[in-house]
Amino acid sequence: MQSTLALNIPHGSVARSAYRIAWIDVVAGVRAVDIWGRLGWRETKRRYRRTAFGPFWTTVGLALFVTTLGLVWANLWHRDPKAYLPYLTSGMVCWVMFSTICLDGCVTFILAEKLLRQLRISYTLLACANVWRNGILFFHNLTIYVLICLYAGLPVTWATLLAIPGFALFFLNAVWITMLLGAVCARFRDVQQLCGTLLQISLFLTPIFWSPDQLTGRTALLAAINPLYYLIAVIREPLLGQAPPPSHWLIVILMAIIGWTLTIQMLTKFRPRIVYWL
Amino acid sequence: MAEIVLNNVVAEFPVYGTQPSFRNALFGRVVGGVLRRQNHHGKGIVVRALDHVSLTVHHGDQLGIIGHNGAGKSTLLRVFAGIYEPSQGTINIEGRVSPLFSTSPGLDPDDTGYENIVTCGLLLGMSRDEIERKLPEIEAFSELNDYLALPARTYSTGMLVRLGFAIATAIDPEILLLDEELGAGDARFAANAAKRVEGLIERSSIVVLASQSVELIRRICNRAILLDHGRVIADGPTRDILEIHNQMNKDGPASVTLPAATAAEPDHAAPATARAV
């Protein structure tokens, strides 16, 4: 008989390998849509409780940021605001999602300490909740982009639909990023601070404000070897009405494969230890 | 058949924060053995909460865990719950486990009682249908009435305990784990809780209760173990164990001579022998 403790994670007896439990953690966690969906919504609600606009407050802040910055920089760089604003906005909306997933990811397990000390629960489930919550926020923020597109008269094309597989790939990566950051930060609390710093720099080193074709010579590598560029491009390019080239898809798929392999390794080796680190 | 088997289980807590963690690991890599010489195997300080515990809890056992502060009661419960995995030894659990420690898992003070029932229920492994079906029972047992529509932060501690207890016991657990905070309810609730646990026991499951309250253990449990410094020093029928416990409190542990059959033997003899007392 199998033990049916929270989310069907069997106990680590000698007979059951840690590797199998790592997989069960992932599969059971992802499948518990009901729970992580609920936890994600609840956290969103909690953060904006008793505010009139709820998550749209982030949207308002972001809207101010992109419109003012976009108009100034379009002038500085002599670019057409109607071309630059959609570019900047689509990039920023994706970047904000990515960076908050990372920052929240760092504390996902730490903040769930109470829960983790009470239940034998899938860590993947908590990571999914984190990604889902930031996904919800992203769709709130997307309203700015829609408004900017209306202003710029950007057409909706068939390529726009490619945003859907783009999201799927992005989320696939976001979950393992959360898992790894969550585990590492639980053990080494300094990593959280380091992450914040690195993310700040990455915003400028990743083609968000500027486009990769503006770079020449050696600096062009900044975009070419930057994984974050591709991760964001698979959502951003469809949003801008362009189909991403196959190489972009491939790189993001490769990232997912490498990332998940590492995550399974991490869970196999350290899953039983994480709760002791909290 | 619900069953818990622990074999030579050791649980050790690493203590971080006594030394700069990241820097230590970083320099530990660079400088190699130099820093590691500070402690054994470079593992840092550990607190051993459970020391070679071997124990079998059988179907129908209502096990009371007794011992003074820091004896390892809560840790043992969390090992039963699969939360802390032993650093040595093995554990095998058969049956659906429902833990009830402090407040209910995943309780959000800003959510209403009803919302919390769903969240906690899902986390405890119930399906939505199951929760729906159990709702009247939970409503009735928690005695929260209209409060269930209010955010949980408006509840008193006792009310939170009632809600958590109602949810955790609604699950038809085969194995119910209770920590001592259960005593936070008032006398009437304690009586109700005991009645409900009795009901659960009739549904033939395992109940494990960790408590300092001799009274509670006497009322609920048919078997008890006495923990001291993470070791099981006695295991047997509740009455005998409580007697040893009383004696220990009176004279201090050194003066207690354990009856041979009741004491868990150093080579961790099968608990069945102890049960035969």
Side-chain angles (χ1 to χ4, degrees):
Chain A
M1 205 175 89
Q2 202 197 17
S3 94
T4 52
L5 190 49
L7 310 171
N8 296 311
I9 297 172
H11 282 270
S13 65
V14 237
R16 291 168 176 135
S17 74
Y19 178 72
R20 235 193 88 205
I21 289 177
W23 272 106
I24 291 171
D25 186 292
V26 173
V27 174
V30 172
R31 278 177 58 186
V33 187
D34 214 12
I35 306 179
W36 56 254
R38 195 175 171 82
L39 291 179
W41 268 114
R42 187 173 78 168
E43 185 63 18
T44 311
K45 273 195 321 195
R46 198 181 61 76
R47 290 195 184 186
Y48 299 98
R49 203 172 288 273
R50 292 167 63 191
T51 61
F53 298 109
F56 282 109
W57 272 116
T58 323
T59 313
V60 171
L62 196 59
L64 277 173
F65 182 83
V66 292
T67 44
T68 48
L69 200 81
L71 290 173
V72 171
W73 284 10
N75 257 315
L76 272 177
W77 290 342
H78 309 292
R79 290 185 60 172
D80 176 14
K82 289 202 171 183
Y84 185 61
L85 269 178
Y87 181 80
L88 174 68
T89 311
S90 59
M92 270 312 282
V93 171
C94 296
W95 177 263
V96 166
M97 170 163 66
F98 173 76
S99 76
T100 45
I101 282 177
C102 290
L103 289 175
D104 292 353
C106 287
V107 291
T108 297
F109 299 154
I110 298 174
L111 290 184
E113 176 182 352
K114 262 182 91 177
L115 193 62
L116 289 168
R117 281 198 198 280
Q118 290 192 68
L119 280 182
R120 183 177 173 83
I121 197 177
S122 154
Y123 287 94
T124 316
L125 180 149
L126 296 173
C128 287
N130 174 43
V131 172
W132 169 231
R133 184 181 70 243
N134 283 296
I136 295 171
L137 211 58
F138 174 82
F139 286 104
H140 280 88
N141 290 341
L142 209 56
T143 48
I144 315 168
Y145 182 66
V146 173
L147 291 177
I148 296 273
C149 281
L150 287 177
Y151 153 80
L154 209 72
V156 176
T157 65
W158 280 109
T160 315
L161 279 180
L162 287 173
I164 296 166
F167 281 131
L169 276 177
F170 180 90
F171 288 151
L172 195 64
N173 279 292
V175 175
W176 73 253
I177 293 172
T178 305
M179 301 277 288
L180 287 188
L181 282 178
V184 172
C185 291
R187 176 65 185 83
F188 302 105
R189 301 295 164 108
D190 303 73
V191 177
Q192 195 185 329
Q193 309 299 327
L194 185 70
C195 246
T197 314
L198 288 181
L199 277 170
Q200 260 175 359
I201 304 168
S202 311
L203 170 60
F204 297 103
L205 294 184
T206 308
I208 305 289
F209 299 132
W210 42 273
S211 66
D213 50 37
Q214 283 173 293
L215 295 178
T216 47
R218 271 222 194 129
T219 47
L221 277 177
L222 216 51
I225 59 161
N226 187 343
L228 304 185
Y229 165 59
Y230 300 100
L231 195 57
I232 280 169
V234 289
I235 303 181
R236 178 196 225 176
E237 283 163 7
L239 283 182
L240 288 167
Q242 305 150 7
S247 62
H248 288 191
W249 294 110
L250 270 173
I251 289 169
V252 176
I253 291 171
L254 206 67
M255 280 169 68
I257 294 172
I258 295 171
W260 276 106
T261 312
L262 280 174
T263 305
I264 292 282
Q265 290 288 318
M266 181 278 287
L267 282 175
T268 307
K269 219 165 163 203
F270 297 114
R271 190 186 180 284
R273 303 302 306 162
I274 297 176
V275 71
Y276 288 97
W277 295 338
L278 298 173
Chain B
M1 287 286 278
E3 193 182 44
I4 306 175
V5 183
L6 264 61
N7 194 5
N8 269 317
V9 165
V10 174
E12 283 171 330
F13 289 83
V15 182
Y16 300 115
T18 48
Q19 68 270 66
S21 56
F22 189 57
R23 211 164 61 195
N24 216 36
L26 211 64
F27 285 107
R29 270 294 138 74
V30 180
V31 204
V34 181
L35 276 174
R36 281 176 197 181
R37 225 175 281 151
Q38 288 175 343
N39 39 48
H40 303 289
H41 323 297
K43 287 248 171 83
I45 304 162
V46 292
V47 172
R48 183 168 281 196
L50 291 178
D51 195 1
H52 295 284
V53 172
S54 290
L55 188 67
T56 304
V57 189
H58 303 269
H59 201 87
D61 273 0
Q62 295 110 254
L63 177 71
I65 306 174
I66 204 154
H68 59 78
N69 281 331
K73 299 189 295 291
S74 297
T75 308
L76 185 55
L77 267 190
R78 279 164 175 76
V79 168
F80 286 162
I83 294 162
Y84 295 143
E85 303 212 10
S87 32
Q88 287 171 45
T90 58
I91 170 168
N92 217 338
I93 296 181
E94 303 282 343
R96 174 151 136 169
V97 180
S98 174
L100 177 56
F101 311 141
S102 56
T103 50
S104 15
L107 187 105
D108 186 331
D110 282 322
D111 273 0
T112 66
Y114 285 115
E115 286 169 330
N116 275 311
I117 290 174
V118 178
T119 315
C120 298
L122 287 174
L123 282 169
L124 285 169
M126 283 195 253
S127 67
R128 285 208 183 238
D129 289 343
E130 208 177 339
I131 297 167
E132 196 74 31
R133 222 173 33 221
K134 300 277 183 174
L135 192 59
E137 189 188 324
I138 297 172
E139 278 173 329
F141 185 77
S142 66
E143 296 178 358
L144 289 171
N145 307 324
D146 297 341
Y147 270 99
L148 281 176
L150 291 180
R153 73 186 128 82
T154 61
Y155 298 4
S156 70
T157 318
M159 286 158 84
L160 283 174
V161 171
R162 291 211 302 263
L163 180 65
F165 193 80
I167 300 169
T169 50
I171 194 176
D172 284 336
E174 288 165 284
I175 301 169
L176 176 66
L177 307 173
L178 301 168
D179 208 348
E180 50 197 337
E181 278 87 352
L182 178 65
D186 54 22
R188 197 172 63 89
F189 172 69
N192 279 349
K195 214 183 291 167
R196 194 168 164 98
V197 170
E198 275 160 29
L200 281 177
I201 292 162
E202 277 163 28
R203 282 182 255 160
S204 62
S205 42
I206 291 176
V207 177
V208 183
L209 167 68
S211 180
Q212 303 215 37
S213 157
V214 171
E215 209 32 62
L216 207 59
I217 291 204
R218 196 194 305 278
R219 193 159 36 175
I220 293 176
C221 305
N222 60 9
R223 176 186 170 193
I225 56 173
L226 185 57
L227 277 186
D228 187 49
H229 291 99
R231 286 173 172 273
V232 179
I233 58 169
D235 180 355
T238 310
R239 211 193 315 152
D240 301 355
I241 301 301
L242 289 182
E243 208 165 286
I244 297 171
H245 182 243
N246 276 342
Q247 209 180 328
M248 257 176 71
N249 282 347
K250 228 184 292 160
D251 316 329
S255 64
V256 180
T257 42
L258 297 168
T262 329
E265 284 162 29
D267 63 341
H268 310 292
T273 40
R275 282 169 54 80
V277 180

